[in-house]
Amino acid sequence: MEIHEILESVKEGKISINNAKKLLSLYSIEEVEGFVKIDINRRKRRGIPEVVFAETKELDEIKKITKKTLEKTNSLIISRIKKNDYPKILVFAKRLKVKIKTGKNSSSLLLFKNPIKFHGGKVGIMTAGTSDIGVAEESRLMCEAMNCKCITSYDVGVAGIQRVFPILKKMINEDVDCIIVAAGMEGALATLVSTLVDIPIIGIPTSVGYGYGEKGIAALASMLQSCSLGLSVVNIDNGIAAGGIAANIANRAIKKNYSS
């Protein structure tokens, strides 16, 4: 339906206001100088903020997209920023007078205007090694952008398996709604965690490793072949996707709890 048809249908009582809002949300697209169309209403429609994949974009394009998006929404994630562009984007964000959250060992940023309230669910995030932290931090930024509280613990892989149990116990006691596990090499940590809890697990195979299964291939294959039910897997190094899925699970869980 075109916009005028939606409005006429509301006026004539053919559709409800709520249905009209859903239909109108499809039109919430902002175009920037003919080279990008921003899905402004994604947060309201799906609960997921706009994410700018910076690795393949020019600095000037990133700035224009960032400025336009933050005019219309409260938050924005810029992921995989090129090394030379990173300090320039930080300076640009400060000029826009927005708040900035950075990720440890990560080239991604969360920008937001108003304080983010952690009224969503809880997500646990763990890594097998320190080399996996950057990817895990992308997940944390996404989860926090979606109002989720995160409990993190890094470098708890199976090479020292005893390290995982205290943090897993803490996550269970904190009643997390989902756990993200980032692991490279053979990616075994995701299966291990999945066998120990009744919580949804999202595995992120990371491109850490060398030899026959280098660049995350072995970790991806291992997680996909896992015999532990309750483990789902995203693509190699895809911390953003894992964060979005985990936060959606957690936020729906908290919503169900409040309504019951």
Side-chain angles (χ1 to χ4, degrees), residues 8-74:
E8 284 293 334
S9 295
V10 173
K11 182 180 178 181
E12 295 169 11
K14 293 180 179 178
I15 62 173
S16 68
I17 291 175
N18 285 337
N19 283 336
K21 285 170 66 178
K22 289 179 182 178
L23 291 169
L24 287 169
S25 72
L26 299 175
Y27 291 89
S28 299
I29 301 293
E30 289 285 334
E31 188 165 348
V32 180
E33 297 185 9
F35 73 91
V36 66
K37 294 178 176 63
I38 304 169
D39 187 0
I40 295 298
N41 211 43
R42 182 185 299 167
R43 180 60 185 257
K44 291 180 180 178
R45 190 177 72 252
R46 299 199 57 227
I48 296 175
E50 183 67 71
V51 180
V52 179
F53 181 58
E55 191 172 271
T56 57
K57 293 180 177 62
E58 298 299 322
L59 178 61
D60 189 54
E61 293 175 333
I62 298 167
K63 288 180 177 180
K64 288 174 181 177
I65 296 169
T66 298
K67 187 173 184 296
K68 176 62 72 172
T69 302
L70 289 173
E71 285 174 3
K72 301 290 184 177
T73 65
N74 182 58

Side-chain angles (χ1 to χ4, degrees), residues 117-134:
K117 297 177 181 178
F118 298 116
H119 53 63
K122 293 180 184 178
V123 176
I125 305 175
M126 59 177 65
T127 72
T130 55
S131 298
D132 308 312
I133 290 175

Side-chain angles (χ1 to χ4, degrees), residues 91-193:
V91 171
F92 176 71
K94 289 173 182 175
R95 286 178 186 160
L96 292 178
K97 297 182 179 179
V98 298
K99 299 173 181 64
I100 305 166
K101 278 199 174 194
T102 60
K104 185 178 180 181
N105 299 348
S106 169
S107 62
S108 298
L109 296 171
L110 167 58
L111 309 182
F112 55 100
K113 295 183 293 187
N114 301 316
I116 294 173
K117 297 177 181 178
F118 298 116
H119 53 63
K122 293 180 184 178
V123 176
I125 305 175
M126 59 177 65
T127 72
T130 55
S131 298
D132 308 312
I133 290 175
V135 172
E137 285 284 275
E138 286 187 352
S139 294
R140 180 183 64 81
L141 292 175
M142 175 60 94
C143 289
E144 291 187 355
M146 294 172 66
N147 308 109
C148 288
K149 178 183 176 182
C150 293
I151 299 164
T152 62
S153 185
Y154 301 149
D155 196 25
V156 293
V158 297
I161 200 169
Q162 71 279 5
R163 298 174 295 179
V164 75
F165 299 111
I167 183 58
L168 203 52
K169 183 177 180 181
K170 180 181 178 182
M171 289 180 180
I172 293 168
N173 288 337
E174 290 274 353
D175 199 22
V176 297
D177 304 294
C178 189
I179 297 176
I180 295 170
V181 180
M185 300 300 284
E186 84 292 359
L189 183 63
T191 290
L192 172 67
V193 173

Side-chain angles (χ1 to χ4, degrees), residues 244-258:
I245 298 164
N248 255 336
I249 291 170
N251 287 338
R252 285 188 65 83
I254 203 75
K255 190 185 296 183
K256 295 281 187 182
N257 289 338
Y258 283 145

